[in-house]
Amino acid sequence: MSGNSHEGGPRHVAVIMDGNGRWAQQRGRPRLLGHRAGAKRVREIVEACPDLGVDYLTIFAFSTENWKRTQEEVSGLMSLFRRYIQSEAQTLLEQGTRVRFIGDRLRLDAKLRRLMDSLEAMTAHNTRCNLTIALNYGGRDEVARATKRLAHDVADGKLDPDAICDETLPRYLDTCVLPDPDLVIRTSGEARISNFLLWQSAYAEYEFVDTLWPDFDRAAFAAVLRRYGSRERRFGGVLSA
Ligand code: IPE
Ligand code: IPE
Ligand code: MG
């Protein structure tokens, strides 16, 4: 962990990157073009993190519900993910970014899974910034998978049911090695969570911005981080004098 957070800034920022489809639609172009433009922004925002004091960036790339889209859009997104990993791997490695994936990998094709595994392994020693990509991720699905593993540990006698507390389940979540997000940003004007980091965001601050994801640049990101700095987090307590 690099621990280079700026005073008062969020250490872990999670982003629901929404609005790629509408961005393309506004230009009379296919939705996939919006996803490609969105991928370019990912590069810019990841690069900006160390300078802005963000140690952890978690981005929502594909939800467990996104399989409902047309086969054309889903397969276009999957090939975009493969190409993103192939084209960005070297840059991520050189800029000191450690990459992790969260979500259920089992439904992803073997080639994409291999690329994900190798990017994680390749960047495992990086400490400058932590990028987590949520791919085939759903908060409820994650809790269900975690609960299944927890139940197996109980059945195998490795976990005492009476010892279960609010710190037990997070150890089974995909995010077990990550701190909870301090700030969750959603672009495109929608004010909903769409099944993202449900457990982990219990005390996160939320920022809903109207900008569509392909237009969300470094300056827009920095502005949202500044607003966070003026918020007052209480965690159920009262203001200290
Ligand atoms: C977010 O953009 C990217 C993914 C969900 C993969 P959308 O594709 O949801 O864009 P809109 O919401 O239709 O504009
Ligand atoms: C959430 O966006 C998922 C991602 C950004 C990957 P969606 O566009 O899928 O969410 P809804 O359908 O508007 O809730
Ligand atoms: Mg959307």
Side-chain angles (χ1 to χ4, degrees):
M1 277 168 221
S2 52
N4 60 356
S5 284
H6 291 168
E7 190 76 18
R11 181 171 178 232
H12 182 178
V13 178
V15 185
I16 302 172
M17 309 183 289
D18 198 16
N20 295 349
R22 276 162 282 171
W23 187 90
Q25 212 167 17
Q26 284 173 1
R27 288 160 178 76
R29 306 301 302 273
R31 295 178 59 84
L32 265 172
L33 202 92
H35 295 312
R36 261 183 240 138
K40 289 207 189 96
R41 281 302 176 202
V42 170
R43 184 178 308 158
E44 180 177 339
I45 299 302
V46 170
E47 255 172 32
C49 279
D51 289 345
L52 296 170
V54 175
D55 290 339
Y56 293 85
L57 176 72
T58 299
I59 53 175
F60 205 1
F62 192 88
S63 78
T64 46
E65 287 71 38
N66 288 148
W67 298 104
K68 291 179 198 159
R69 299 187 179 198
T70 63
Q71 204 256 324
E72 186 192 5
E73 183 168 354
V74 169
S75 66
L77 279 164
M78 294 300 149
S79 85
L80 183 62
F81 298 144
R82 286 194 297 270
R83 267 184 290 141
Y84 172 83
I85 295 174
Q86 285 168 322
S87 66
E88 294 304 299
Q90 199 54 37
T91 308
L92 290 162
L93 181 67
E94 284 165 14
Q95 76 193 14
T97 304
R98 178 171 188 171
V99 184
R100 298 178 178 89
F101 291 91
I102 54 171
D104 185 359
R105 299 181 194 208
L106 295 180
R107 195 166 167 192
L108 302 173
D109 76 65
K111 179 159 188 224
L112 177 56
R113 278 193 334 241
R114 271 199 304 279
L115 288 167
M116 290 159 69
D117 291 342
S118 78
L119 184 58
E120 282 182 332
M122 189 175 151
T123 61
H125 300 293
N126 280 350
T127 55
R128 191 154 177 257
C129 190
N130 294 274
L131 171 65
T132 302
I133 303 174
L135 221 170
N136 193 25
Y137 175 86
R140 288 180 172 180
D141 176 71
E142 180 191 34
V143 170
R145 286 184 290 105
T147 308
K148 198 184 284 185
R149 286 199 297 275
L150 185 152
H152 274 294
D153 279 356
V154 169
D156 296 344
K158 291 183 202 153
L159 179 68
D160 173 5
D162 289 324
I164 293 172
C165 65
D166 66 356
E167 286 171 13
T168 310
L169 189 68
R171 295 204 295 266
Y172 291 85
L173 295 174
D174 297 347
T175 51
C176 60
V177 299
L178 306 176
D180 285 342
D182 300 298
L183 172 66
V184 178
I185 301 170
R186 183 174 187 141
T187 57
S188 90
E190 310 295 347
R192 56 177 171 261
I193 304 169
S194 301
N195 206 7
F196 192 43
L197 300 175
L198 296 180
W199 174 285
Q200 298 88 338
S201 300
Y203 264 103
E205 299 290 324
Y206 281 90
E207 281 277 349
F208 299 100
V209 297
D210 288 337
T211 316
L212 303 175
W213 174 254
D215 292 326
F216 191 73
D217 60 10
R218 187 193 164 111
F221 186 47
V224 175
L225 300 188
R226 276 196 301 277
R227 280 207 294 279
Y228 170 93
S230 63
R231 285 174 176 230
E232 169 199 294
R233 299 180 78 188
R234 295 188 186 171
F235 300 100
V238 289
L239 259 191
S240 51

